[in-house]
Amino acid sequence: MTREMTGAEMVVQALIDQGVSHIFGYPGGAVLPIYDALFHTDKVKHILVRHEQAAVHAAEGFARSTGKVGAVLVTSGPGSTNAVTGLADAMMDSIPVVCITGQVPTHLIGSDAFQECDTVGITRHCTKHNYLVKSINDLPRILHEAFYVAAAGRPGPVVVDIPKDLQFATGSYSRPTSNQHKTYRPQVKGEMSKIKAAIEMMKTAKRPVFYTGGGVINSGTEASALLRELVRTTGFPITSTLMGLGAYPASDRQWLGMLGMHGTYEANLAMHDSDLIVAIGARFDDRVTGRLDAFAPGSTKIHIDIDPSSINKNVKVDLAIIGDCAHVLEDMVRLWRASNASADKTALKGWWDQIDTWRKRDCLAYRPTQDLIKPQYALQRLYELTKGKDVYFTTEVGQHQMWAAQFLKFEDPNRWLTSGGLGTMGYGLPAAVGAQVAHPGALVIDVAGEASIQMTMQEMSTIAQYNLPVKVFILNNQYMGMVRQWQELLHGGRYSETYSEGLPDFVKLAEAYHARGIRCDKPDELDAAILDMINFNGPVLFDCIVDPAENCFPMIPSGKAHNDMILGDAVKDIGSIIDDKGKMLV
């Protein structure tokens, strides 16, 4: 049905027609007509953040935890530029977000008007697509198209920049019968001949490994279910990137843990020594590959990805299958079963024997103490005390993020929300806002560092306004921990600007934001304090004081091969791994 509407009313109606329940934003002059239109509906709930970067991160948290498109509304100029970090983050991690930005009136564009910026130009390289709306007649199509582009193929952020005069202008609105872009048609079905070739390669492999990434999770829960079926049917080991955690259950014996810079010894060595890598929804990023010329030198590589630009971008592969993970995995499972295929059982047994030998190194082991809380212990206890609950974990970025990836064990997809590609400090708290809005009855915990949490601490005000029971679990080591670790190991222990002086009293800060503050610095009091946090009916800032000298291992030093890891038990003292000029010795 066609109706006459203002541009602002079109925006709100398009959100309703797209099934948007919540939009995260911050008002300003160039979007006031849209905010006025939102005032007249109860079908879309607006969540007022305290910074536009947080609006995008909250939309990411909403999208990542639900599989839906996140929605953002910000004003022109500084509103849209503040959103850029969030857009870049969503772009790197393939998170579907539609960000609607206000723009100065059409006749003022290019005149350096008040709060004007070239939003389309600024966001061109950190969005999947962006639009500057030039005609009221184009607005309905663009709005619906934006949601299609954000979600279709490899997901990502889309910006729709709407001049203020078009928000007042009137035109005809009707929901398009198809939201599809006239030229953007991602290939979802894999080429059958290539899938058959992949099955034949898997049958003859002696040392195979599945390497999976966030693309499996982006493809939906069906893809994760099919992945589990294929892995269990073949008997192959499986590892995952940081963004892929939860696609395969961490409790399963075939799971090797996360791979990469802070991945497990067995996962990285299995990748290096494999003769067949089946990469599914992963992009061979530098944190996984290490030195490219030394990455899995003896392996044949199959790469399954919906994004053709990811193929051979970093690592040359032997067989590329373009398609959506769920569709390709469905065909692979069907063909494997239909052909009564089986792996080389003798070779596979020997491969598992080797993997079990690597596992015996217990690469995540650490030395607990009675006086100091080790960060690993804190996360182990957090995991054990939340196991079995309806829980979502977000993180900030740093050592705590890597420890969380190592010690929190995920059985299902969409429960782990972290900034992978961009590594954005401050991501976790607003992402937790988005996850909590999407899942009001769930336990949502942001694992944070005392440095990262201060990047977007203002969102505690949003949490207070909407009575969101978000829990923030701060591993407080009084340093920018990962930076300090690199300075210790790679820069001769010269700690340049990494000590977090002037830290706030987080308990008092929590109270200032109408939340509960808890501090714990004794291992034997930790369980009771964590349970207190979990059971409190409201937001909590938990200040967990941990060993300031603890480092995160295993670690692949920058520029080293992915099998060239430093293990925690190898670091007796700094002098054992660097010389007097800071050069790595091992």
Side-chain angles (χ1 to χ4, degrees):
M1 185 176 69
T2 301
R3 287 175 286 172
E4 285 291 308
M5 293 184 182
T6 67
E9 290 169 337
M10 290 179 183
V11 171
V12 174
Q13 189 59 50
L15 294 173
I16 295 169
D17 288 346
Q18 286 292 332
V20 173
S21 59
H22 294 83
I23 188 166
F24 302 87
Y26 201 94
V31 283
L32 285 185
I34 299 174
Y35 272 88
D36 191 55
L38 278 171
F39 184 82
H40 295 285
T41 183
D42 59 0
K43 293 182 178 178
V44 179
K45 173 76 172 175
H46 181 272
I47 303 297
L48 177 65
V49 297
R50 279 18 180 202
H51 191 283
E52 290 88 353
Q53 176 185 342
V56 185
H57 291 329
E60 288 184 274
F62 187 96
R64 186 74 172 173
S65 66
T66 63
K68 300 177 181 178
V69 177
V72 177
L73 177 60
V74 299
T75 194
S76 65
S80 56
T81 58
N82 280 348
V84 166
T85 297
L87 294 170
D89 189 271
M91 185 68 178
M92 290 286 280
D93 287 343
S94 305
I95 309 299
V97 170
V98 170
C99 180
I100 298 166
T101 61
Q103 185 54 275
V104 300
T106 305
H107 69 280
L108 291 178
I109 292 176
S111 69
D112 292 333
F114 177 66
Q115 289 194 332
E116 181 194 1
C117 73
D118 179 9
T119 299
V120 166
I122 290 169
T123 63
R124 181 168 287 119
H125 297 291
C126 63
T127 56
K128 187 176 177 183
H129 195 58
N130 59 17
Y131 302 84
L132 172 61
V133 184
K134 297 179 180 179
S135 168
I136 190 66
N137 297 322
D138 293 332
L139 183 56
R141 171 187 60 81
I142 287 173
L143 288 166
H144 289 287
E145 200 173 89
F147 279 86
Y148 167 76
V149 172
R154 180 178 178 177
V158 176
V159 163
V160 180
D161 196 33
I162 310 175
K164 189 171 183 178
D165 58 315
L166 295 188
Q167 298 171 37
F168 285 116
T170 58
S172 297
Y173 174 89
S174 62
R175 180 172 183 174
T177 55
S178 172
N179 296 335
Q180 293 185 353
H181 192 279
K182 59 185 177 183
T183 59
Y184 181 54
R185 296 283 194 277
Q187 180 179 332
V188 295
K189 291 287 290 182
E191 189 176 325
M192 190 55 65
S193 62
K194 292 186 175 182
I195 296 174
K196 289 178 179 178
I199 294 295
E200 292 304 313
M201 293 162 72
M202 290 163 62
K203 287 180 185 178
T204 58
K206 308 296 184 185
R207 301 182 305 282
V209 62
F210 285 109
Y211 153 48
T212 61
V216 178
I217 292 174
N218 288 340
S219 186
T221 54
E222 183 185 1
S224 294
L226 288 164
L227 174 67
R228 295 168 190 221
E229 186 175 356
L230 182 62
V231 171
R232 287 165 179 161
T233 301
T234 60
F236 294 178
I238 177 172
T239 180
S240 170
T241 66
L242 179 73
M243 297 304 296
L245 297 177
Y248 194 84
S251 61
D252 193 89
R253 183 185 178 276
Q254 288 171 251
W255 169 248
L256 304 184
M258 180 179 74
L259 81 164
M261 181 168 281
H262 293 285
T264 66
Y265 184 69
E266 53 268 29
N268 284 328
L269 287 189
M271 286 285 285
H272 183 269
D273 285 6
S274 66
D275 71 342
L276 177 68
I277 292 173
V278 184
I280 309 174
R283 58 189 178 88
F284 292 96
D285 68 285
D286 61 291
R287 291 288 166 124
V288 163
T289 63
R291 206 177 78 231
L292 280 173
D293 63 356
F295 176 71
S299 72
T300 299
K301 301 172 183 69
I302 301 170
H303 192 182
I304 301 165
D305 205 292
I306 199 165
D307 181 8
S309 72
S310 290
I311 304 297
N312 295 322
K313 186 176 188 177
N314 298 321
V315 170
K316 181 172 172 38
V317 299
D318 301 279
L319 177 64
I321 302 173
I322 307 299
D324 179 78
C325 291
H327 286 85
V328 175
L329 285 168
E330 182 180 25
D331 286 336
M332 292 180 79
V333 169
R334 179 175 53 79
L335 287 175
W336 186 272
R337 291 191 181 282
S339 63
N340 292 316
S342 63
D344 183 330
K345 293 181 179 179
T346 301
L348 194 59
K349 182 183 182 304
W351 183 224
W352 274 112
D353 288 344
Q354 176 60 74
I355 290 170
D356 287 339
T357 299
W358 291 328
R359 276 177 166 164
K360 289 176 183 177
R361 288 295 301 267
D362 194 10
C363 66
L364 300 181
Y366 62 94
R367 296 185 181 91
T369 68
Q370 294 183 339
D371 301 323
L372 289 173
I373 298 174
K374 293 288 186 178
Q376 302 96 319
Y377 177 74
L379 288 168
Q380 280 185 315
R381 298 314 304 153
L382 181 65
Y383 168 70
E384 290 296 335
L385 295 170
T386 58
K387 189 162 57 174
K389 296 183 182 295
D390 182 16
V391 59
Y392 295 81
F393 284 100
T394 70
T395 78
E396 309 297 334
V397 168
Q399 284 179 318
H400 62 274
Q401 177 192 30
M402 294 297 104
W403 280 315
Q406 292 172 344
F407 289 93
L408 301 177
K409 303 187 184 306
F410 297 95
E411 300 298 302
D412 299 298
N414 304 108
R415 299 286 177 156
W416 166 249
L417 320 176
T418 195
S419 173
L422 196 64
T424 308
M425 292 175 70
Y427 167 90
L429 185 58
V433 168
Q436 191 76 78
V437 165
H439 308 279
L443 175 62
V444 178
I445 301 175
D446 174 28
V447 177
E450 82 292 333
S452 269
I453 193 63
Q454 294 186 83
M455 289 280 189
T456 52
M457 177 58 76
Q458 74 281 344
E459 298 313 311
M460 287 298 297
S461 181
T462 300
I463 287 169
Q465 178 177 346
Y466 296 99
N467 299 311
L468 303 174
V470 170
K471 320 298 183 189
V472 183
F473 191 72
I474 302 170
L475 295 182
N476 187 346
N477 60 10
Q478 302 179 61
Y479 281 101
M480 291 176 235
M482 191 62 81
V483 178
R484 178 202 57 75
Q485 176 169 334
W486 280 54
Q487 289 176 336
E488 177 180 327
L489 299 180
L490 305 177
H491 296 279
R494 295 180 291 278
Y495 303 123
S496 177
E497 301 298 324
T498 51
Y499 184 72
S500 300
E501 294 185 6
L503 284 175
D505 182 326
F506 286 109
V507 172
K508 290 181 179 178
L509 188 61
E511 293 167 355
Y513 279 115
H514 315 288
R516 173 80 182 279
I518 299 172
R519 178 180 293 112
C520 184
D521 60 2
K522 294 181 174 58
D524 60 355
E525 297 176 1
L526 185 58
D527 277 20
I530 291 174
L531 288 172
D532 189 10
M533 176 189 76
I534 293 169
N535 295 327
F536 182 72
N537 185 26
V540 176
L541 280 181
F542 189 115
D543 190 12
C544 186
I545 310 300
V546 299
D547 185 350
E550 192 71 6
N551 286 326
C552 184
F553 295 112
M555 174 186 173
I556 302 172
S558 181
K560 295 292 184 178
H562 69 134
N563 65 324
D564 192 1
M565 288 168 283
I566 303 173
L567 301 183
D569 58 9
V571 184
K572 306 303 181 185
D573 58 76
I574 287 301
S576 67
I577 63 169
I578 62 170
D579 63 17
D580 58 359
K581 295 181 180 178
K583 183 179 178 182
M584 184 68 62
L585 296 175
V586 297

